[in-house]
Amino acid sequence: MAVTAAQVKELREKTGAGMLDCKKALEEANGDITKASEILREKGLAAAANKAGRIATEGAVGSYIHAGGRIGVLVEVNCETDFVAKTDAFQALVKDIAMQISATSPRYVRREEVPSEDIEKEREILRAQALNEGKPEKIVDKMVEGRIGKFYEEFCLMEQSFIKDPDKTVAQLLNEKISTIGENITIRRFARYELGEGLEKKQDNFVEEVMAQAKM
């Protein structure tokens, strides 16, 4: 079917991709906007992979303070040029990442940063749990590895579901931004502080509050 200029405009506004790329994706998807978006995302992920080896030493240190000053986050996000670092799109990404950290309290940026001794300790705990649940010995190891995957999803920032769009991970969000912005982007490090952390205090569900605010 013929692709209209209105369809190209709609897809471009939705994805941030170039006009020609939008037109080709729509032709491949027979005019289906949703399918065309998926095609662009797949191509975007490939484009992001091509940029992954490029050096990113510019960027910004962003912050997020939860209402009332009860949770504070600092995060360093790197890109390749100072020009991109100052753009609204990059600054918005840094803010979203800081808010993500505030809401989900990750321990690491990526799974490669998890100390091997921590993973082994987690495996031991999960194995004991599975055996205590009465699971057959022959399937325990497989169950443990599946639960280790859940551990990564919970505590590694890049593998968490993005709070503003749970259908994608933070890694997928980053790859989309790499594709549309055109530079390699990496999350280098972060620090998260919660008021009274480590002290005995009344338990408030700050995570729910932050996620509710993110969706406003």
Side-chain angles (χ1 to χ4, degrees), residues 70-89:
R70 293 180 293 180
I71 299 177
V73 170
L74 287 174
V75 60
E76 179 181 346
V77 183
N78 299 122
C79 59
E80 297 177 44
T81 65
D82 184 55
F83 173 78
V84 163
K86 294 177 180 177
T87 62
D88 290 342

Side-chain angles (χ1 to χ4, degrees), residues 13-29:
E13 290 175 348
K14 183 177 180 180
T15 64
M19 187 176 296
L20 184 58
D21 288 333
C22 289
K23 185 174 185 295
K24 288 180 178 178
L26 282 164
E27 289 172 346
E28 187 176 339

Side-chain angles (χ1 to χ4, degrees), residues 189-207:
R189 54 185 173 174
F190 66 84
R192 181 185 185 276
Y193 300 95
E194 185 171 322
L195 184 66
E197 192 170 20
L199 303 176
E200 186 175 346
K201 60 187 177 67
K202 177 185 175 183
Q203 294 298 312
D204 294 314
N205 199 328
F206 294 155
V207 171

